[in-house]
Amino acid sequence: MPLHAPTTVSPPSADPTAFASVVRRHTPLVRATAMRLRHCRADADDVVQETFLAAWTHLESIVDPEAIGAWLVTTARRRSYDRLRRGGSSAIRWVDESTPATEDHAPTGVAERSSLADAASAVLATMPAVQRWCWELRHLDELPYREVAAAVGLPVSTVRGMLVRARSTLARELAGWR
């Protein structure tokens, strides 16, 4: 029995007006996916734009027009992971964005906390991108290990190992701050 390639159906979004409708309908979902993975509005906006550009250029290859939402989310995830692998983040999430404020507003206390946040950010910037991302998701976003693993596409055991190495690096490099 010969194998047949799936028949591609030209989606109704082959014309610009229909495609604009697809963009309006799916932009919130694609943006939410990108923001969850990139955490930086500029990076997420780039991912959204790349995702819809890919959709426009690959319209004829979409087999099931009804599944365009799933296709867009998958593409946004892949584009986000590609940016992570390339180190294509326009901004590293700074530790001081999520550091709770203290009651001590004395200039020395503020300067000390700012210096510590800068030092921690510098150490995080030296880590491999996936390791840093795991640390950010776990410690800044406070996601459980399973959700971190799902976000980065790795087994939970690998994520745990990356987090152990990240914590060890931070403890070693920031030992002078204790």
Side-chain angles (χ1 to χ4, degrees):
M1 179 174 202
L3 295 176
H4 297 282
T7 307
T8 57
V9 177
S10 181
S13 58
D15 69 275
T17 305
F19 186 73
S21 173
V22 168
V23 171
R24 277 191 303 277
R25 184 173 52 243
H26 294 286
T27 293
L29 177 63
V30 173
R31 184 177 310 284
T33 301
M35 279 300 292
R36 178 164 176 121
L37 297 173
R38 297 305 303 159
H39 302 288
C40 170
R41 183 174 294 259
D43 282 347
D45 288 344
D46 288 346
V47 167
V48 170
Q49 184 174 8
E50 290 171 9
T51 299
F52 284 113
L53 181 61
W56 179 254
T57 58
H58 295 96
L59 270 169
E60 66 280 348
S61 68
I62 298 173
V63 176
D64 182 8
E66 298 300 316
I68 188 76
W71 188 92
L72 290 168
V73 166
T74 301
T75 302
R77 273 196 200 123
R78 288 182 180 154
R79 301 281 172 167
S80 295
Y81 294 147
D82 289 346
R83 284 177 162 270
L84 177 67
R85 284 185 205 101
R86 286 191 320 255
S89 177
S90 63
I92 294 175
R93 293 184 59 207
W94 300 109
V95 176
D96 60 352
E97 288 177 357
S98 63
T99 305
T102 64
E103 298 296 317
D104 178 14
H105 296 293
T108 55
V110 171
E112 191 173 298
R113 283 188 306 279
S114 177
S115 294
L116 174 58
D118 289 345
S121 294
V123 172
L124 288 168
T126 66
M127 292 180 185
V130 176
Q131 185 180 41
R132 180 181 65 241
W133 195 24
C134 288
W135 188 89
E136 289 173 352
L137 290 172
R138 178 69 181 134
H139 294 286
L140 299 182
D141 291 342
E142 299 177 348
L143 293 180
Y145 289 103
R146 283 191 193 120
E147 288 185 35
V148 173
V152 297
L154 295 171
V156 174
S157 59
T158 303
V159 167
R160 286 183 186 274
M162 286 189 174
L163 288 170
V164 166
R165 287 187 294 282
R167 288 183 199 119
S168 173
T169 300
L170 283 165
R172 181 181 64 251
E173 298 296 321
L174 300 176
W177 287 92
R178 290 185 185 187

